[in-house]
């Protein structure tokens, strides 16, 4: 009978020991549950095939301004880094865009200050070009008339030669006037280009100031991705 009692006690002791070991093991399993509180910062674990790290969830810190150490997906940490990088880029681009726009505005002011004088000078060259064109047309017409006289029937050689030379001289004059008109028009165009330069710089400035609006959606996308991953 004593032997049986001891045997029964041994069995009960074994069962109790097994129960205790099961209870002790349970907290360890619970500690490795996604989003559960974890004991040591930067500890690592694999849960359901995903890599986790013991940190304060960046999404929780940002949205609730406070957070405990929890098992957080490594993918969440990576997504948060991408978001921070995107935000940093946006700040840099915004600052750079503003600085560049300020420089361009300064250049525009210089051009705008010089514009009235340049347009006035362009008008002078335009008038000269018109005058030279008219003189070229007149000289050409006179040259044609001189050639007609040179080709009249019944005139002597000396007279023919005289009118032919006159026609040649007038043709050369017409060519000079045409070249003068071309130069005047070129100079006028160069002066008028100042306005085109101003317009081009304004477009460049507006484009530069618009760079942040191009980057902003990327930041929003990175945040949406981070929020999604960090709340899984």
């Amino acid at each position: 009978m004593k032997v049986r009692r001891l045997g029964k006690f041994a069995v009960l002791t074994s069962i109790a020991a097994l129960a205790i070991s099961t209870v002790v093991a349970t907290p360890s399993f619970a500690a490795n549950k996604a989003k559960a509180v974890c004991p040591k910062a930067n500890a690592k674990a694999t849960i359901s095939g995903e890599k986790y790290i013991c940190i304060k969830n960046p999404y929780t810190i940002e949205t609730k301004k406070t957070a405990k150490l929890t098992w957080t997906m490594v993918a969440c940490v990576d997504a948060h880094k991408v978001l921070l990088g995107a935000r940093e880029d946006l700040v840099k681009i915004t600052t750079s865009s503003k600085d560049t726009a300020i420089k361009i505005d300064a250049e525009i002011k210089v051009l705008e200050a010089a514009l009235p004088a340049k347009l006035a000078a362009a008008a002078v060259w335009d008038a000269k070009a018109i005058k030279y064109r008219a003189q070229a047309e007149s000289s050409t017409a006179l040259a044609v008339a001189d050639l007609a006289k040179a080709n009249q029937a019944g005139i002597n050689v000396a007279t023919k030669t005289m009118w032919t030379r006159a026609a040649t001289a007038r043709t050369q004059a017409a060519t000079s006037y045409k070249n003068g008109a071309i130069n005047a028009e070129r100079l006028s165009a160069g002066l008028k280009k100042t306005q085109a330069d101003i317009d081009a710089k304004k477009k460049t400035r507006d484009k530069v100031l618009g760079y942040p609006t191009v980057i902003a959606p990327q930041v929003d996308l990175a945040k949406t991705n981070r929020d999604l991953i960090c709340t899984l």
Side-chain angles (χ1 to χ4, degrees), residues 1-9:
M1 293 295 294
K2 289 183 180 181
V3 174
R4 287 181 179 178
R5 287 179 180 175
L6 288 174
K8 184 177 181 180
F9 177 78

Side-chain angles (χ1 to χ4, degrees), residues 20-32:
I20 292 172
S21 66
T22 301
V23 172
V24 171
T26 300
S28 175
F29 176 81
N32 289 345

